[in-house]
Amino acid sequence: MSSGDDYLKRLMECAESRDAVAEAGLVLTRSSELVAVNGRLDRSGGARVATVAVWTWRDGHEGYLVCTPDVPPQDAVDQALGLGERLAARAPLPAAAPTAGPPVSAPGLDPTPAEALEEPLRALSVEPGRRSGLRTELRLQTQHREVLMRHSRGFAGSYRDSTATVQSRVEAQGSGVGFGADERFGRSARRLLDGPAAESLREAEEEARAHSGAGALDGAPADVVLHGRVAAALLGLLAPTLMLDTVRQQRSRWGDRIGELVGVRGLSVVEDVTLDDAPVWAPFDDEGTPTRTVRLIADGVLREFLADRRTAVEAGATSTGSGLRGPRGEMPSVRAGCLLLSGGDGVPVQGDRQGDAGALWVTQAQGMHMANEVTGDFSFGASGLLVAANGRARPVRGFTVAGNVHRMMGRIEAAGRTPRYSRGWAGFVAAPDLRVTGLSLGT
């Protein structure tokens, strides 16, 4: 980490010698992957990547450059300044964040790479195939990061974090071919394999078996229950509505609704990258602003919008620590790092499938990316389980689910207790199972 910090210091010195203000972040990422298929190690791999993002400001002109530490500091600063001079001047100069403390590590940090866990992953993938001839694929991925930041006006900070992912995919043969897929996230690959991975595999196996003999949806179910991973994907669709930059661009349907009821009583939506048990963690964002719990919706009422440093300055507000870079290191903008929906005490608890006679459980969604983030309208292909009066579930597929995510927030009748995480564009979103009214079903 010291060599990386030295590089950032030299960047700041070069900027000061050119009468410029600068900020730079260096992210050192070590990723690894291991895949097992029916007890056979299929492949493994890994990569180490170092990315530097340089921001400069001089005479109202902002410049930006993404490079590697192989680029000499003076060249990196000059390229960023050169780009800024070709762009229109912008003001005012965003203030630097306060100086951070000593280097910190995420709670529960585990540096174990995926390739060090060959035997437990292989053993876990054996059982379904041995028991009933299913094709089982387990994919374990780990990502460990060191994040360093410096600002020429004094900010300096660094931290380490880790994210582990296990993906289960099961294929079953019946009257047709059925597929089941599930994904779990955490901070530690070892802890994922100690329990959540087996749960993920069982869920994928159950769905694969069911859908190998799935039929068409006929009739109108009494209730629709969205599996947590489907509900989380819809929460990701809602995320732009909760960002201050989309409000200022008049693209948020809730831009003028602070203090108003936008969901059912009891509904809560928070942004929090400081949780001890979430798959992502950061003490400050990619602009150096300290992160915190941001209560966007509380008891169904819209309370706040996510903001980065620039948007906050323009709006006369305060950054919520939500200035994050995209996957290619691009300039920070307002993004959700870890968005969570919960029902709280005011929303009835969603039970299990056996207690939901007549309900349609939507367990898989396809084509969610076609939804409209501005209007909130969505329509996706789906498969699921239709629960009969006796509690037995009949698999169904080939139907569509349509609705509007903004209206859906006010039509949640019950919520499960356990959130399911899903990847968003810049971070994670999480939601429990949700029983929802007002959705349109088609075949």
Side-chain angles (χ1 to χ4, degrees):
M1 181 175 286
S2 58
S3 61
D5 196 40
D6 288 342
Y7 182 82
L8 296 185
K9 288 180 181 178
R10 290 163 58 200
L11 279 173
M12 300 301 103
E13 292 168 356
C14 289
E16 290 175 357
S17 71
R18 289 153 174 77
D19 297 321
V21 176
E23 182 177 79
L26 171 61
V27 181
L28 307 171
T29 304
R30 177 167 56 93
S31 59
S32 61
E33 179 180 78
L34 184 65
V35 180
V37 178
N38 288 107
R40 172 177 53 84
L41 292 177
D42 187 65
R43 60 187 179 276
S44 63
R48 294 174 181 266
V49 178
T51 303
V52 178
V54 184
W55 169 87
T56 59
W57 186 95
R58 187 171 62 185
D59 298 329
H61 294 271
E62 286 185 295
Y64 197 76
L65 177 72
V66 178
C67 61
T68 68
D70 297 329
V71 176
Q74 63 272 21
D75 291 350
V77 170
D78 288 341
Q79 289 181 49
L81 287 171
L83 175 62
E85 289 171 355
R86 292 192 291 272
L87 301 175
R90 299 181 65 174
L93 169 66
T99 301
V104 292
S105 296
L109 181 73
D110 181 357
T112 307
E115 61 261 28
L117 299 168
E118 291 184 356
E119 182 52 32
L121 189 72
R122 187 200 65 78
L124 192 61
S125 73
V126 167
E127 188 57 31
R130 175 185 295 167
R131 184 172 61 249
S132 47
L134 302 178
R135 183 186 187 278
T136 301
E137 177 183 298
L138 283 176
R139 182 186 304 265
L140 180 66
Q141 298 171 320
T142 56
Q143 183 182 82
H144 303 96
R145 300 194 313 157
E146 295 182 10
V147 180
L148 303 89
M149 281 197 65
R150 276 193 172 270
H151 193 290
S152 58
R153 291 191 169 181
F155 174 84
S158 62
Y159 66 91
R160 294 182 176 90
D161 72 348
S162 62
T163 298
T165 307
V166 63
Q167 300 169 330
S168 303
R169 181 177 173 85
V170 178
E171 179 182 327
Q173 296 282 345
S175 57
V177 179
F179 295 96
D182 190 60
E183 196 169 29
R184 302 295 171 98
F185 302 94
R187 297 257 176 86
S188 165
R190 290 185 185 276
R191 288 193 290 274
L192 275 183
L193 293 181
D194 283 344
E199 296 172 6
S200 174
L201 186 57
R202 283 193 296 271
E203 186 166 316
E205 180 181 351
E206 176 187 340
E207 290 192 1
R209 288 179 177 281
H211 295 307
S212 65
L217 176 66
D218 50 9
D223 294 295
V224 174
V225 181
L226 303 176
H227 187 286
R229 59 172 166 256
V230 178
L234 288 173
L235 178 62
L237 177 61
L238 181 70
T241 298
L242 300 170
M243 298 178 182
L244 188 57
D245 57 347
T246 60
V247 172
R248 292 182 58 76
Q249 296 160 11
Q250 298 184 342
R251 294 190 296 114
S252 171
R253 291 299 178 94
W254 291 349
D256 57 353
R257 299 194 62 184
I258 288 289
E260 294 184 14
L261 196 68
V262 295
V264 296
R265 285 294 183 183
L267 182 71
S268 170
V269 176
V270 302
E271 158 72 358
D272 200 343
V273 293
T274 68
L275 294 171
D276 286 350
D277 56 353
V280 62
W281 180 88
F284 51 82
D285 68 2
D286 291 332
E287 297 177 316
T289 304
T291 54
R292 60 180 175 86
T293 302
V294 186
R295 303 192 182 281
L296 300 163
I297 299 175
D299 195 23
V301 176
L302 182 63
R303 298 296 187 189
E304 193 172 0
F305 292 111
L306 298 178
D308 62 358
R309 186 174 59 193
R310 173 181 311 288
T311 307
V313 168
E314 293 173 348
T318 302
S319 172
T320 58
S322 305
L324 302 176
R325 297 187 183 96
R328 291 172 294 278
E330 52 263 41
M331 195 165 182
S333 62
V334 186
R335 291 183 172 94
C338 190
L339 200 64
L340 300 96
L341 180 149
S342 62
D345 296 333
V347 178
V349 176
Q350 171 60 39
D352 57 22
R353 293 172 187 171
Q354 286 69 31
D356 268 331
L360 172 64
W361 283 70
V362 180
T363 59
Q364 296 285 357
Q366 301 88 37
M368 188 78 76
H369 62 282
M370 300 298 291
N372 191 315
E373 292 183 346
V374 177
T375 65
D377 293 330
F378 61 84
S379 178
F380 57 85
S383 56
L385 299 168
L386 185 61
V387 183
N390 60 5
R392 299 188 64 179
R394 176 171 68 87
V396 290
R397 60 183 174 186
F399 61 94
T400 61
V401 180
N404 180 280
V405 71
H406 302 115
R407 290 193 291 270
M408 192 185 82
M409 293 297 106
R411 296 173 176 175
I412 296 172
E413 292 190 326
R417 297 186 183 277
T418 305
R420 293 295 300 270
Y421 284 89
S422 179
R423 285 194 182 274
W425 190 66
F428 290 86
V429 289
D433 298 337
L434 297 177
R435 189 191 308 152
V436 180
T437 63
L439 299 179
S440 299
L441 302 176
T443 55

